[in-house]
Amino acid sequence: MTATTAGMPMLRIENITKSFAEHTVLRSVSLDVEAGSVTCVIGPSGAGKSTLIQCVNHLERVDSGLIWVDGRLMGYEDKGGKLYELPDRDIARQRRDIGMVFQHFHLFPHMTVRENITVGPIRVRRADRATATARADELLDRVGLDGYGDRYPSKLSGGQQQRVAIARTLAMDPKLVLFDEPTSALDPELVGEVLAVMKDLALSGMTMVVVTHELGFAREVADRVVFMADGEIIEEGITAEVFDDPKHERTRSFLGRVLSH
């Protein structure tokens, strides 16, 4: 049985499960994310956080459950109550509306910064080169890298590369952006520059789901916080409530341990 699309949030995750061999990574996980909101997913390593957002854009196929993005069933078509997986080209078309920023930047080393940002709009969205280039330069200015368009990734710091990766994602005009530990591969002194760009995106009304260990960022920016452990959502709610008055002992233990360092 599928949910109706009328009045649905930007992202709806309904009872998804996912296993790798004998290891269950996600156990009946459900979550709603409203348009224009920021949801931060926190929890210990191995909780299933990254797998959860990789399922959203069908990088990982769920074993059961359903996911909708902007009212559209992700990865499948419902025909007479039966689900059929979409062809790869149709899944790729759905992914156009979902930005993904990974731990590692995945920039094309043989392309300049500007070319990395324009390749998606030109090849996927069929934008003309002049429009895509102007947009790329506008986004580079937005992420604090005005004048860096002709450089190659190897000449950039990790923080600069991650900001280019964010600009590349924004160039596709996504409805939803997923961040998978976007600062975990950075040297500590570079984390702040990436978080500053993400804060700006949050203030602009971008719908964001952020898997992060940066609890200060989560507390400052998130509308809602999700705490995961052992493949389950243990607690979820308004940010201040989760941080200041967690209801579950697992949440209290995790926050107490992490925030004390």
Side-chain angles (χ1 to χ4, degrees):
M1 180 178 177
T2 62
T4 60
T5 59
M8 285 183 70
M10 177 58 72
L11 170 64
R12 170 158 288 171
I13 299 170
E14 187 177 275
N15 294 323
I16 65 169
T17 62
K18 175 67 180 178
S19 297
F20 295 104
E22 301 300 315
H23 179 52
T24 301
V25 182
L26 298 173
R27 307 170 188 271
S28 299
V29 173
S30 296
L31 179 67
D32 283 355
V33 175
E34 298 295 336
S37 70
V38 179
T39 298
C40 282
V41 185
I42 64 173
S45 297
K49 306 183 300 294
S50 293
T51 301
L52 175 64
I53 62 170
Q54 287 170 14
C55 288
V56 169
N57 62 0
H58 213 64
L59 286 176
E60 294 289 353
R61 291 169 171 81
V62 300
D63 297 327
S64 62
L66 300 167
I67 298 172
W68 291 263
V69 174
D70 196 25
R72 294 186 60 193
L73 188 60
M74 188 66 201
Y76 297 92
E77 184 178 8
D78 187 344
K79 292 183 178 179
K82 290 187 176 181
L83 294 179
Y84 297 88
E85 189 170 22
L86 293 171
D88 288 344
R89 66 179 181 277
D90 292 338
I91 294 172
R93 193 173 296 119
Q94 287 187 321
R95 288 189 184 129
R96 294 177 188 176
D97 292 330
I98 307 171
M100 184 84 174
V101 179
F102 297 91
Q103 296 179 31
H104 301 284
F105 327 117
H106 300 302
L107 300 178
F108 295 115
H110 63 289
M111 292 184 178
T112 65
V113 163
R114 186 179 291 108
E115 288 168 342
N116 266 280
I117 297 171
T118 59
V119 64
I122 290 171
R123 293 187 180 180
V124 178
R125 294 208 180 270
R126 306 299 186 213
D128 68 84
R129 188 168 299 276
T131 300
T133 298
R135 174 69 169 150
D137 289 342
E138 173 190 315
L139 289 169
L140 283 173
D141 182 54
R142 181 174 182 180
V143 300
L145 293 173
D146 184 31
Y148 282 68
D150 293 325
R151 300 194 190 190
Y152 286 87
S154 62
K155 302 300 183 183
L156 303 180
S157 70
Q160 289 168 338
Q161 290 187 61
Q162 191 63 293
R163 284 186 280 159
V164 172
I166 293 172
R168 178 183 59 185
T169 296
L170 297 179
M172 294 294 288
D173 293 320
K175 297 177 180 178
L176 167 69
V177 181
L178 310 171
F179 293 84
D180 185 8
E181 295 277 16
T183 61
S184 66
L186 301 178
D187 292 333
E189 67 269 21
L190 302 177
V191 169
E193 62 191 49
V194 173
L195 294 181
V197 170
M198 294 172 63
K199 290 175 187 177
D200 175 67
L201 291 182
L203 290 172
S204 74
M206 177 69 69
T207 310
M208 299 162 57
V209 179
V210 185
V211 172
T212 185
H213 61 277
E214 299 288 346
L215 298 190
F217 169 82
R219 184 163 197 156
E220 180 181 351
V221 176
D223 298 293
R224 300 185 71 81
V225 168
V226 173
F227 172 67
M228 289 187 68
D230 301 323
E232 298 178 303
I233 292 179
I234 305 299
E235 188 161 346
E236 183 253 335
I238 297 170
T239 301
E241 293 179 354
V242 174
F243 275 101
D244 297 336
D245 187 25
K247 302 298 187 289
H248 198 284
E249 173 57 33
R250 290 291 299 277
T251 316
R252 289 194 293 271
S253 175
F254 174 79
L255 291 174
R257 187 169 61 252
V258 174
L259 294 175
S260 65
H261 290 293

